[in-house]
Amino acid sequence: MIRLTDVTKSYSADVTIGPITVEIPTGGIIALVGPNGAGKSTVLTMMGRLLAPDGGTVEVGGLDVHTSPSKQVARTVSILRQENHFVTRLTVRQLVSFGRYPYSGGRLTQDDEDKISQAIDFLDLTDLEQRFLDQLSGGQRQRAYVAMVLAQDTDYLLLDEPLNNLDAQHSVQMMQQLRRAADELGRTIVIVLHDINFAAAYSDRIIAMESGRIAEHGTPDQIIRDDVLTRIFKTPVTVLPGPTGPIAAYHRTV
């Protein structure tokens, strides 16, 4: 599981995350939701060792991610940030191969090549693997980044807003592929989402953050409610029955 205990991070006297204490069970998709500035990305990057907390501990798969050897952590948890700065003249396959670095050290074995191919195939990128990143659409490039994380072959995947810049069709496709990764590959996926309806439709648990703290934590049925969402997002939200589950309606006209 993922366990955060009394985790804090301070940026200034007015901007503080935590203290946060939460246990996230192994398996499935866990969505982090909440308004801008709630601390979702900060918490995710602390889980992934990219940002050190000022206090408390972060454990993933039994490892304290901030004190354990980096190679051991990299074989347990992988993370995809919002901003990625890879050379655009990399091919898809070259990009995905970076996910094998914790194992290969840059010298790919046949097992590494097999894992790279599996991740490319899983994200439906086989026909694009020799294309350069700057020849891809935004949705294709985003899938390539997720394939890189998948190729790292960790039990825990942390994804920071992977639906950014994706249209409705590609957002649905991405969430379907992540759902498959959780169900078929047994991965635990923690994902920051802005669209609460995607969280409702695809996640097993939802952690709702507000002002640097966890406001609610539970199943979609426990979180996707008028009173909970209205309080967290500070705008009137009405939850309606949809064809495959609850839908949060929050578009109002004056």
Side-chain angles (χ1 to χ4, degrees), residues 22-89:
V22 67
E23 291 187 357
I24 301 173
T26 300
I29 295 178
I30 301 91
L32 284 173
V33 305
N36 290 340
K40 305 181 295 297
S41 295
T42 297
V43 169
L44 195 82
T45 51
M46 287 192 289
M47 288 180 188
R49 191 180 167 136
L50 298 182
L51 182 67
D54 293 329
T57 58
V58 180
E59 297 175 60
V60 180
L63 296 178
D64 185 321
V65 299
H66 295 284
T67 61
S68 298
S70 58
K71 181 177 287 188
Q72 191 175 11
V73 174
R75 294 184 178 188
T76 302
V77 58
S78 51
I79 182 168
L80 181 66
R81 304 186 69 170
Q82 285 187 52
E83 300 297 331
N84 297 288
H85 303 287
F86 286 91
V87 178
T88 55
R89 293 310 288 178

Side-chain angles (χ1 to χ4, degrees), residues 199-200 203-207 216-225:
S203 64
D204 300 286
R205 300 189 69 80
I206 297 174
I207 296 174
E216 298 284 347
H217 179 200
T219 65
D221 285 343
Q222 293 171 319
I223 305 301
I224 307 301
R225 294 170 28 194

Side-chain angles (χ1 to χ4, degrees), residues 123-186:
L123 272 297
D124 299 324
L125 292 164
T126 309
D127 293 339
L128 303 173
E129 65 177 319
Q130 297 306 324
R131 291 253 195 108
F132 291 105
L133 296 182
D134 60 1
Q135 296 175 326
L136 304 179
S137 69
Q140 291 168 338
R141 192 158 48 244
Q142 196 76 325
R143 276 190 286 145
Y145 285 127
V146 174
M148 176 186 66
V149 175
L150 198 61
Q152 197 168 326
D153 200 26
T154 59
D155 289 334
Y156 299 87
L157 280 72
L158 312 177
L159 306 175
D160 194 358
E161 299 188 31
L163 305 187
N164 265 5
N165 302 315
L166 299 187
D167 58 22
Q169 175 190 2
H170 291 103
S171 293
V172 169
Q173 289 174 352
M174 176 67 75
M175 290 307 300
Q176 289 174 337
Q177 287 160 329
L178 294 176
R179 187 69 257 178
R180 284 181 56 219
D183 295 340
E184 298 176 18
L185 304 180

